[in-house]
Amino acid sequence: MAAKENLRPGGRSARVQASVHMAVRKLLQSLDRADVTIPLIAAEAGVTPSTIYRRWGDLQELLADVAVERLRPDMVPIDTGSARGDLEVWAEQYAEEMSSGIGRDMMRDVLAAQDSTNAYRCCGFTRDQIEAISDRATARGERFPAIDAVMDRVVAPIIYRILFGDAPSNERVRDLVSDAMAEQAATPQPSPASALKSA
Amino acid sequence: MAAKENLRPGGRSARVQASVHMAVRKLLQSLDRADVTIPLIAAEAGVTPSTIYRRWGDLQELLADVAVERLRPDMVPIDTGSARGDLEVWAEQYAEEMSSGIGRDMMRDVLAAQDSTNAYRCCGFTRDQIEAISDRATARGERFPAIDAVMDRVVAPIIYRILFGDAPSNERVRDLVSDAMAEQAATPQPSPASALKSA
DNA sequence: CCCATAAACGCAAATTATTTGCTTTTAGGC
DNA sequence: GCCTAAAAGCAAATAATTTGCGTTTATGGG
């Protein structure tokens, strides 16, 4: 039930997909998560419930599908002039978005789905953002840690804390960035792009 | 729907809880996750469905409740003679357990529930384990990084990778431990126990 | 030890969600 | 423009969830 691949791209099928996604987003704004049901979504989207059941399987898959769209970054990381500044600003904003009620819910939706493809894609978005910062750094002639190191030392702690405990403060996020950047300074490995692409 | 607090501890209530938990565990062994329903669990447990609905609310909360029990560590971290060895062995075992199908499912269940208390408790279990290793280290006169540092640099990357990508290899887990221990060596902060308790 | 009280459970009816067989619409290839 | 099959609609059948009400049974106070 990928609902993304092997799907007729044109006409009605795409219209239904858009309509259902929009309905989900609209309903999630006004209603409590537990009150959003497939029949409700279907009514809002002007579609019969069985269409949704057949295409997405169940509510969780649909919510995951919608969530992963919303988690896709809509802009390139802000250019502050330095790699450290770029990463710091990006990480703070990322932490804030993800720890907000909406961000938390979307992560929950993505992780709750049986199909783990969405989670994987989600991780790829983040990696791409960091890669953009990294590329800019090397273009400037700055050193930058390996992408994986940033994922491990900045992204992972932020997300772990949001999921399992309390959202990290801006100060802590800055500390994480500091540690990651320091690590790079000690280790002479300015290799720019050896990472795996995604999505 | 905590199903844990304000619950009559004695007699029938406890019996029902135990029976339902056992039924869930049994059914999860033989059936696919998607085929486990509340009526099924109720039948297996010898209880009416409405009892489960009233006590846990929905399937996800029940699954989370069962999962968190199973995620509770059943033993103290192995004593290898050194803090580094302790952490290394513990981390490898932890990563392996969590990346197994069962571990992954349990984490999913815990995170998918509306009630985030379970996730928080889950994190507390892990923290307690690391604290035990830390305490043993200071008792031996060894230095050891702050608990939070280990959570950020070892636990968080392991879990992040399991949830959003691929399970980390043993080698990578060892590297994470190395980094965490090295950090401690550079920073003179042997403060033993300043962490927050849980559960 | 027994009684009063309220929590938890069982039962069954009512509601709501999900599945499914079949028909109709329609995108994509010839 | 016509086939073909994927996707959608419709409605009946099935299954899950909610709810009102009566019964059982912990728990606390006499």
Side-chain angles (χ1 to χ4, degrees):
Chain A
M1 295 297 172
K4 212 54 187 298
E5 332 293 352
N6 25 359
L7 157 81
R8 291 193 172 191
R12 181 161 72 160
S13 199
R15 222 153 46 230
V16 166
Q17 149 117 1
S19 176
V20 169
H21 273 228
M22 193 156 40
V24 169
R25 280 207 280 264
K26 181 172 176 187
L27 290 172
L28 282 180
Q29 283 185 328
S30 44
L31 269 67
D32 195 50
R33 182 159 235 72
D35 297 331
V36 176
T37 67
I38 287 188
L40 227 183
I41 294 166
E44 175 73 31
V47 163
T48 55
S50 63
T51 295
I52 296 180
Y53 286 116
R54 278 203 246 254
R55 209 155 131 179
W56 281 277
D58 63 13
L59 182 59
Q60 286 197 331
E61 292 298 326
L62 172 55
L63 289 178
D65 197 44
V66 172
V68 81
E69 285 303 314
R70 300 184 69 183
L71 284 170
R72 185 196 303 276
D74 54 350
M75 53 178 245
V76 80
I78 294 171
D79 189 338
T80 66
S82 74
R84 189 201 173 89
D86 285 5
L87 189 56
E88 207 164 287
V89 165
W90 176 84
E92 281 182 23
Q93 188 186 325
Y94 181 72
E96 194 176 318
E97 278 176 18
M98 290 311 197
S99 51
S100 73
I102 296 173
R104 214 182 280 239
D105 284 346
M106 289 190 299
M107 272 199 292
R108 192 202 310 296
D109 290 341
V110 166
L111 290 173
Q114 294 296 115
D115 180 4
S116 59
T117 315
N118 284 327
Y120 190 74
R121 243 189 291 166
C122 199
C123 172
F125 295 157
T126 306
R127 174 179 283 278
D128 287 347
Q129 293 279 95
I130 292 166
E131 208 166 316
I133 294 174
S134 173
D135 287 350
R136 217 153 52 198
T138 44
R140 286 197 203 100
E142 290 178 293
R143 294 185 140 209
F144 198 79
I147 309 291
D148 276 331
V150 179
M151 295 298 285
D152 282 347
R153 299 174 78 119
V154 179
V155 175
I158 290 172
I159 299 300
Y160 182 83
R161 283 179 181 275
I162 292 173
L163 288 177
F164 290 96
D166 303 312
S169 66
N170 270 356
E171 194 188 343
R172 180 173 283 280
V173 171
R174 276 195 296 273
D175 284 350
L176 292 171
V177 171
S178 278
D179 285 356
M181 293 301 287
E183 161 76 8
Q184 173 276 327
T187 313
Q189 277 186 346
S191 76
S194 64
L196 27 140
K197 268 283 185 176
S198 68
Chain B
M1 293 299 175
K4 213 50 188 296
E5 331 294 353
N6 27 359
L7 157 84
R8 291 193 171 194
R12 180 163 71 161
S13 199
R15 222 154 44 231
V16 166
Q17 149 118 2
S19 176
V20 168
H21 273 227
M22 193 155 42
V24 170
R25 279 205 282 262
K26 182 172 177 190
L27 290 172
L28 282 180
Q29 283 184 328
S30 44
L31 270 67
D32 194 51
R33 182 159 235 72
D35 298 330
V36 176
T37 65
I38 287 187
L40 229 183
I41 294 166
E44 175 73 31
V47 163
T48 54
S50 63
T51 295
I52 296 180
Y53 285 116
R54 278 204 247 253
R55 206 154 135 179
W56 280 277
D58 62 13
L59 182 57
Q60 287 197 329
E61 292 297 327
L62 172 54
L63 289 177
D65 197 43
V66 172
V68 81
E69 286 302 314
R70 299 183 68 183
L71 285 169
R72 186 196 302 275
D74 54 351
M75 55 178 243
V76 81
I78 295 170
D79 191 339
T80 66
S82 75
R84 190 200 172 89
D86 285 5
L87 189 57
E88 207 163 286
V89 166
W90 175 84
E92 281 182 22
Q93 189 186 325
Y94 181 72
E96 195 176 317
E97 279 177 16
M98 289 312 195
S99 52
S100 73
I102 296 173
R104 216 183 279 241
D105 283 346
M106 290 190 299
M107 270 199 293
R108 193 200 308 295
D109 290 342
V110 166
L111 290 174
Q114 293 297 114
D115 181 3
S116 59
T117 316
N118 284 327
Y120 190 73
R121 245 190 289 168
C122 199
C123 172
F125 295 157
T126 306
R127 175 179 281 279
D128 288 347
Q129 293 279 95
I130 292 167
E131 208 166 317
I133 293 175
S134 173
D135 288 350
R136 216 153 54 197
T138 43
R140 288 195 202 101
E142 290 179 293
R143 292 185 141 208
F144 198 79
I147 309 291
D148 275 332
V150 179
M151 295 298 285
D152 282 346
R153 298 173 79 117
V154 178
V155 175
I158 290 173
I159 298 300
Y160 182 84
R161 282 178 181 276
I162 293 173
L163 289 177
F164 290 95
D166 303 313
S169 67
N170 270 356
E171 195 189 343
R172 180 175 282 281
V173 171
R174 276 195 296 272
D175 284 350
L176 292 172
V177 171
S178 278
D179 285 355
M181 294 300 288
E183 160 78 7
Q184 173 276 327
T187 313
Q189 278 186 346
S191 74
S194 64
L196 27 142
K197 270 282 188 181
S198 70

